[in-house]
Amino acid sequence: MWSKSAVQNKVVVITDAISGLGKECARVFHTGGARLVLCGKNWERLEILYDALISVADPSKTFTPKLVLLDLSDISCVQDVAKEVLDCYGCVDILINNASMNIRGPAHKISLELDKKIMDANYFGPITLTKALLPDMISRRTGQIVLVNNIQGKLGIPFRTAYAASKHAALGFFDCLRAEVEEYNVVVSTVSPTFIRSYRVDPGQGNWEASIWKFFFRKLTYGVHPVDVAEEVMRTVRRKKQEVFMANPIPKAAVYLRTFFPELFFAVVACGVKEKLSVPEEG
């Protein structure tokens, strides 16, 4: 009941609504009676999501979702799309920045063009959309912006340099924005899980020998299910939380280790990279 009252009749914009987490957020907020604006870069998949939502919801208690085509990595179109989003209902109460792009590989093998693409999708895209919608929230002196980020906004994991850089940048931006807009009664929230895993894939056992770094990284990369993250996003909106960190004890310990004992953290990470590079990879 609390969750429904928090979003009932609210205009909620969800970016990358066609992703696993996006779909679950759409389901949770649609059931709660929100007026959804679902954004994604594939129209066919948006329509599939639309059909799935209206087929199970009670039409007397829910609103028909609006669909908007949006690719946050294409910065040039974000301003126009933001106007289209505002035109749907005339305002935005809650913006959920969910879109993200990931890449893995040694830094020297990732092209600068790809680095820029990651930054556009994970940093410049979300902040451009946020800046376009923020004046409406400020003028009405109400609103909430939720950034779905990642543990790598707090610490860097090897072979994900561009991704970690983009997540650090996004977290820094929204941390600063939180203080700037507080006087306008606009809430900025960040939800940082470890990794969001797929519906059917559980962390594999693999060939993990008894070494500290392998235990450390295996725990660090345990994913959180999209359903759990979506429900946490709803709780964050309802309680107006400023920051949420979704992780088991090992990743949480890694963040504290990075903060208070950085040299030890760097040593563990470096040891892991050396062992990984010394073992030939299959395929």
Side-chain angles (χ1 to χ4, degrees), residues 5-23:
S5 63
V7 300
Q8 185 82 43
N9 298 322
K10 299 288 187 180
V11 178
V12 179
V13 178
I14 303 175
T15 64
D16 197 16
I18 57 179
S19 67
L21 174 57
K23 292 176 184 176

Side-chain angles (χ1 to χ4, degrees), residues 113-133:
E113 288 73 22
L114 196 49
D115 283 337
K116 290 179 179 178
K117 188 173 182 179
I118 295 293
M119 288 298 294
D120 283 344
N122 296 354
Y123 175 68
F124 287 110
I127 74 165
T128 302
L129 181 62
T130 298
K131 286 185 173 186
L133 299 179

Side-chain angles (χ1 to χ4, degrees), residues 21-64:
L21 174 57
K23 292 176 184 176
E24 292 301 333
C25 284
R27 177 186 60 80
V28 170
F29 282 87
H30 185 62
T31 304
R35 293 183 285 176
L36 290 181
V37 181
L38 304 177
C39 304
K41 56 185 179 182
N42 185 301
W43 186 258
E44 183 179 348
R45 292 176 64 185
L46 279 173
E47 290 183 324
I48 293 173
L49 174 59
Y50 173 90
D51 292 338
L53 290 173
I54 63 174
S55 65
V56 297
D58 184 348
S60 65
K61 298 179 180 179
T62 59
F63 295 90
T64 302

